[in-house]
Amino acid sequence: MPLTFQQVILKLQEFWTDKGAVLWQPYYTQVGAGTMNPATFLRVLGPEPWNVAYVEPSVRPDDGRYGENPNRFQLHYQFQVILKPDPGNPQEIYLDSLKAIGIDPREHDIRFVEDNWEQPAISAWGLGWEVWLDGQEITQFTYFQQVGGVTLDPVAVELTYGLERILIGLHNVKTAWDLPWNDTVTYGDVRRAEEFEHSKYYFEVADVRRMREVFERFEQEAENSLAQGLVLPAHDYVLKCSHIFNTLDARGAIGVTERQAFFRRMREMARRVAETYLEQRKQLEYPLLKETSDLSRQTSAKAPVQAPGLVPETSSAQPFLLEIGTEELPAGDLDDALAQLRERVPSYLKELSLEHGPVRIEGTPRRLAVMIEALSPRQPDREDLVKGPPADRAFDKEGKPMPAALGFAKKNGVEPSALQVREEGGGRYVFAVVSQKGRPSPEVLAGVLPDWVAGIKFEKSMKWNESGVSFSRPIRWLVALLGEQVIPFEYAGVAAGSVTRGLRPYDSPEIKVPSAGRYAEVIREAGIILDGEERKASILEQIGQAAALVGGEAVIDEALLGEVTNLVEMPTAVMGEFNREFLSLPKDVLISVMKKHQRYFPVRKDGRLLPHFIAIRNGDDLHVDVVREGNEHVLGARFADANFFVREDVKQPLEAYRPKLSTLIFQTKLGSMLDKSERMSKLVNELIPMLGLGQDEAIFARRAAQLAKADLATQMVTEMTSLQGIIGREYALRSGEQKDVAEAIGEQYQPVPKSRPGLALALADRIDSLAGLFAAGLAPTGAKDPFGLRRAAIGVVQPLIEHGISFNVREAVKKAAALQPIEVKDAVQDQILEFVAGRLAVVLKDAGYRYDVVEAVLAAQADDPARAAVAVKQLQAWVERPDWSTILPGFARCVRITRDQKQKFAVDEKAFVEKEEKALFKALEKAEKTERLAGSVDDFLTVFTPMIPSVNVFFDKVLVMAEDQVVRENRLGLLQRIAALSSGAADLSKLEGF
Amino acid sequence: MPLTFQQVILKLQEFWTDKGAVLWQPYYTQVGAGTMNPATFLRVLGPEPWNVAYVEPSVRPDDGRYGENPNRFQLHYQFQVILKPDPGNPQEIYLDSLKAIGIDPREHDIRFVEDNWEQPAISAWGLGWEVWLDGQEITQFTYFQQVGGVTLDPVAVELTYGLERILIGLHNVKTAWDLPWNDTVTYGDVRRAEEFEHSKYYFEVADVRRMREVFERFEQEAENSLAQGLVLPAHDYVLKCSHIFNTLDARGAIGVTERQAFFRRMREMARRVAETYLEQRKQLEYPLLKETSDLSRQTSAKAPVQAPGLVPETSSAQPFLLEIGTEELPAGDLDDALAQLRERVPSYLKELSLEHGPVRIEGTPRRLAVMIEALSPRQPDREDLVKGPPADRAFDKEGKPMPAALGFAKKNGVEPSALQVREEGGGRYVFAVVSQKGRPSPEVLAGVLPDWVAGIKFEKSMKWNESGVSFSRPIRWLVALLGEQVIPFEYAGVAAGSVTRGLRPYDSPEIKVPSAGRYAEVIREAGIILDGEERKASILEQIGQAAALVGGEAVIDEALLGEVTNLVEMPTAVMGEFNREFLSLPKDVLISVMKKHQRYFPVRKDGRLLPHFIAIRNGDDLHVDVVREGNEHVLGARFADANFFVREDVKQPLEAYRPKLSTLIFQTKLGSMLDKSERMSKLVNELIPMLGLGQDEAIFARRAAQLAKADLATQMVTEMTSLQGIIGREYALRSGEQKDVAEAIGEQYQPVPKSRPGLALALADRIDSLAGLFAAGLAPTGAKDPFGLRRAAIGVVQPLIEHGISFNVREAVKKAAALQPIEVKDAVQDQILEFVAGRLAVVLKDAGYRYDVVEAVLAAQADDPARAAVAVKQLQAWVERPDWSTILPGFARCVRITRDQKQKFAVDEKAFVEKEEKALFKALEKAEKTERLAGSVDDFLTVFTPMIPSVNVFFDKVLVMAEDQVVRENRLGLLQRIAALSSGAADLSKLEGF
């Protein structure tokens, strides 16, 4: 009989206190997670060791489901553990704790799935994993890097067990309600009524005005407490504010941009709390530094890494192996690391002059392996010519070496008599011929391997122990072998050896690698597929077979396949089923849940989804039924959740949600989402003629604009924001709207809407945001772009380019500006246009155009992205022409001589003196008369090119800067008109070689 | 090594979950006690079984001591257990749990000290004990009777362990800070900074206005939640309100009467929460009724009590014993029970016609013993004459018995022929002579013993199990023996037997009592002193010896001695010491703490306290050093606490606290305590001439009035309200005020102030309260008198009587009324006077005066209590005179004939006709001319008595109601003037016999 709910708590308390953890209690204010408890939030700060374990009933109003969902509640029980510093093997201790409560890794699928944990309200982040038990997230495992804005040193390990989910897995049941709390009552007995009541309170009853008033008062109490240096009272009020915020949020009263403001206020308080605490502890001289717990002792008692000793040489070429053993790497980081190693290892070897056979680099989530065949036993000997001081300062007139020569000789280990004098660059210098004997490979490698490892960089990296080293995830072992010989080095507190580790589900057994050459074999015997492509192929084959069993085919998403390949060392496909009734959910919802949340492959047949999914387990097929059932329960719960929302939502037509947008603040100064929605409607009306929409398209666009944001007020989107638009589209169809209207709603968030009504909607949305938020002083600064305005700007230019619609952004911004509730000054509008132009430049450069070409065009016509894009394309073609070297100089001569003239001169045909200037004027007149498309670079250059001979002759024969003012000014006027041919198309002076 | 803090928690969790309790978690809002957690507050309601155990970090802002006190904190850890229903032996299970954490009752002094638990904020009460470990309260043990205004059925047992104090006792240390939390950190390491910070926040930083605003908003949220039937959200807000109230209180912002208003609001909410919860559970059909836990099974599995079987008779007189074995009785209840048994048992026996030898009734906190010598083996036989139907309905004319006679004969078990006819009250009836054979004593006793036990009544009693029986504390065993013979009966679910139980510290061993006669011997052998007087003598002797050891003498307070005598079965004196520096604390504080809080006897020498105390342990002197040290630590902590307050307080002179009274609300409509204090000053000024104070007295009274309430703002009084006045006096002296001023301040709360400035102060205080609170509509109703106005009224009349100062209460009330911030209407003033008169009547009757005498005087002169008291005394003397029977009728004749006359008639001497009336008029004139003291009954009757002969002759000879109107009215006028002689002294018509 598996443990009861309370037995699990008792066991975990026992397990961790036996390990030396302080037993702590839940916090006395509603918190969303054990992290908020001062026993975590504060104690992880500063240098003092701290190991603690406690239950935290965690309240998240938003997760309330009225007691209807099997595993989602407004309150769930966390078991929280903090290990500071890192004990060196926290994953293994953690897995032992699972065993202590009856979870045998061999009977389940336990996975460490990348999780970049971040809690903006307390300015905290860390890296680690969600730990999955048969597809269910049961623990959050994080190496805290920063908390309260303070960088942690030492790093603290946070384990957050989700007790209900662990119990569900342990008992292999569908829902938490039936779990035994103890021998007499169930989880449902003691908790279910509570869930209903609090859900109802948070979603329907809590008074928004009052909550806001209390928030302000509590914030002020925090402020006053901080002013007195009182950390804990201040922290208490920060937490209270946070809970009120969560309540307001569940009530649907917090708008997208208002959310940022709330977070800023809370973050600021949290930061000050953290800083004040640190200052306090410092003044107390860190009293806990004296104490040591078992867990801390474990670290400090670890044998120090041995300094690399003398390494025996080898006499023949040998295979080489470097294996970097890590805790589970994120899928993307694994790809990055392999790419870097594949690129660099050959050059490293070249730099070291080490001859070698083929290099192979492979990896799994837990190991990066560099395998080199036939590595030379030593570097070749070599001679280097080293340059010394000038000869006249090295030798006196008698040719006797002076101090400069003696010092140089000594430094290079040669006799002064062996110095040579050679000429170089017109001077005479002393040179030494230095012979360097090649060093044995083991010695060379021992010196450079730390740098090889250190050289691997990640988008996000973390620290974990006192070595201060950064990596994607902690490095826990290193294998470095040349033949049978260990290459001794140390990195990140780990000494290289010959012992690797096996599969997680087999308890990561230590495995001796007898020699570099036998590594691949050893790994394969351990059940691990080292080669990523091989793993991918195996997965593809298995899911293909599985899908075929139900007469369907797996939906293969390349990104997902790549990710899953990087999540396992031994892939085993597990096919599960879900309740057919969920098929009535929108397909996007189903797929999104399966792929995004669960990393499952959906199964379809004839274009329709089947009620099946395929998960990839890490491990063999032992107890695969338990794994399958577990995964089925998880997916069932997730679908039940979505079903709950959709069922509630579709009780009303989409249109009915529009008025509710008034409770969603877009931004304090810019009003509610309803206000924004109304502005969008007006703006769409203005954009329709500008985009040249047809009559039907205009009708669709107007209706779509009406409904565009309505889905934000639905529960499904409140829950999964990523479904905004998708749900709007779906609900629009279910509400009987026309298909084109529905599609436009769906397209508004796509980078490039397919339909033109969708385009109108997207532009209105984005330009409204740009106008309003810039005016509200919320333009992006530095790396910060909390409102995604860069994306909005790209979202303006990219679709215009792809649709090829000429469109005056300046005019659109002006119209959007007029609709804002606050003034959008002309200077701000200019700023917006400049910002959009900047994004346009990025888009065009990313498309492969030369930067100078882009600059040249945008300098002339940035306001119309589609036209500018055409011009860039044209100009790029021109600059790539072989005769460009004659075209550009011709035009440049006209421009260069005139560009400093402040005055614009008239041309008087009668004032021409020379025939060459007259001819040029004729050519110009002809060019000017030719009809050209606005902004067209082709047209401009096509009319200009024929003039080049006239231009060249003109400059050869005619002195522009004639002494006679009339003559001179007439000539300048002529050239000014030629230069003006480019206006509105491109400013060629921006081009290279101009 | 004793357990660490966290090990104690783990052990208790293990102990109670092994017993079947649900393991629960602390609540997520600050609560003052685990009782507030819904796992207690709600789950104890209704019929469902519920056994639960959890830690509750309990926050009591008021108890903050900035981390300076060894065992008093704003947060302490409770371990809370609820057992519902009563398992039958909760004390024993509890003691087992102490053993489980290493507390051996043989090595300590564990006591169950009466505690009537009450929590007005949640309308809850229960009876039980504080459990003391070596003088330290470590657990609150309560049988909940009512929660949220709902009477509990079944009753729930609440155990609340105070973990810090348990640890202090376990480790025998002075302060919690040094306790090991686990092997690496101490309690102080993890908690001390927190104590300082929160103390500072609660006492100095929390913003009063904001807290009040938040209270109101949360109250409204509770309201809205209840309106939706949401129990838990509502309860959450009630708790939040409660914490805010506590914060305001710690901040010193809650006045005495405002407190009542807050409690009323919270209680009202709590009551509604409880009722709504009950309703909910009912609708759910009490789902947990299906479940049974081990603890509940224990109860239900108990063997049913055997029905009393046939009882063998005895042939000779035998000693009888009834022992009622209980859980520890409160000291007062033990006295009450013994008094009742001593009074009633002899009459019970008489009623039963059971002959017997001497009856002895003794008891200890755990047993009430009725011991009867030589109880007759059976009742004597007897004959009773039973009256039947009237003879004419019993027999027909032939004398044959009719159905009425036959039925009557049958009913009484006689032959119809044996019926007799006798005369009675003028009628003739049938009688039966019924001989009743005496029943054997065992049978008789078995029938009546339940009633003997049930007949014992207590001021407060409780229920505990399904029997529904009420008693002071649960009855756990019964011994009933006649000789060696068990008298079988059952009461409160317990069957009488022959097994008693021994001393608590010896684990209450079961002891067989071989026969009633050997009971005393058995009990003595068990180490128990059954006789209260003997215990008292033993205690006196021991404390005398102990005090002598340090050359002092014990301070014996009779009430305390009596109480202590009733707290132990085997008294052993333990003398301890305290730090000499605490002797600088006010003596009243020291004594008050020792006597009231700890039940210690102080030790003095030459009128000054010595740094010693004597505690009385229940048990022998094994490990007496541990007990002594434990008690020393407790007292040290208590004195440290007082010292903290006094030290802080005396940094400023008493006068400096006066302005702070503005933050203490007296009553919302009546302003702050400062306002009251100012009114008192003004009123004292008015009272000075009314009380006839001398010049110096007036100066003292005015200054004392200024300072009178200042001590309410000191920390010491905030902490121990009972020291109000005492501290004022003490601090006044320390601030250099004159002795008379200090004494007056001290006397203001005494029932009868000794000095006249003290009297002025007390009257001003009490009359101000009466005027204000009556006007605010807060007069006492029914049994409710939340503001102690009855006491205030008694406090007006009693001192006036004792000082013998004539004083017009009406005038004083009028003056006080004029000073109130709200109108005190004339009708309200009348109401107050009537109320005061009512109290005056009670006081006088309690003093032994006849109720009619009191009525008679008060009807004439209630406004001047002292004068009225004198008059009552005089009148009482008159009515006791042998000639009263002539005096009263004489006066009465004059009054009776005139009292219905609505008109008052003038007397015209010339209109008299008869000589008798003329003579009477002369006598009247003489009487009227005699000088009399206002209100004096003596003076009135002394002048009236000589008139009696004239009065009698007058009535004999003269017809008052003459036909001639002039004559008639003149005679009535004469009698009216005689009747008026009594006015202002007494209304004799109220007297019996009038």
Side-chain angles (χ1 to χ4, degrees), chain A residues 911-925:
Chain A
F912 288 124
V913 180
E914 312 290 346
K915 71 169 191 294
E916 289 82 3
E917 52 186 328
K918 288 177 185 158
L920 183 56
F921 183 64
K922 289 287 170 222
L924 172 64
E925 281 191 313

Side-chain angles (χ1 to χ4, degrees), chain B residues 76-79 94-95 98 101 103 108-111 129-141 159-170 634:
Chain B
H76 72 285
Y77 284 79
Q78 294 186 344
F79 193 90
Y94 165 75
L95 290 168
L98 291 187
I101 56 174
I103 296 175
H108 294 275
D109 180 29
I110 295 176
R111 306 259 287 283
W129 311 270
E130 295 174 355
V131 183
W132 285 15
L133 173 68
D134 303 331
Q136 177 83 278
E137 180 192 346
I138 57 164
T139 300
Q140 216 153 347
F141 190 127
L159 307 178
T160 304
Y161 300 76
L163 295 178
E164 288 86 352
R165 293 178 172 186
I166 286 179
L167 263 282
I168 286 177
L170 201 54
V634 182

Side-chain angles (χ1 to χ4, degrees), chain A residues 374-386:
Chain A
L375 189 69
S376 166
R378 58 189 307 130
Q379 293 170 315
D381 300 341
R382 68 180 195 200
E383 287 193 342
D384 292 323
L385 199 60
V386 183

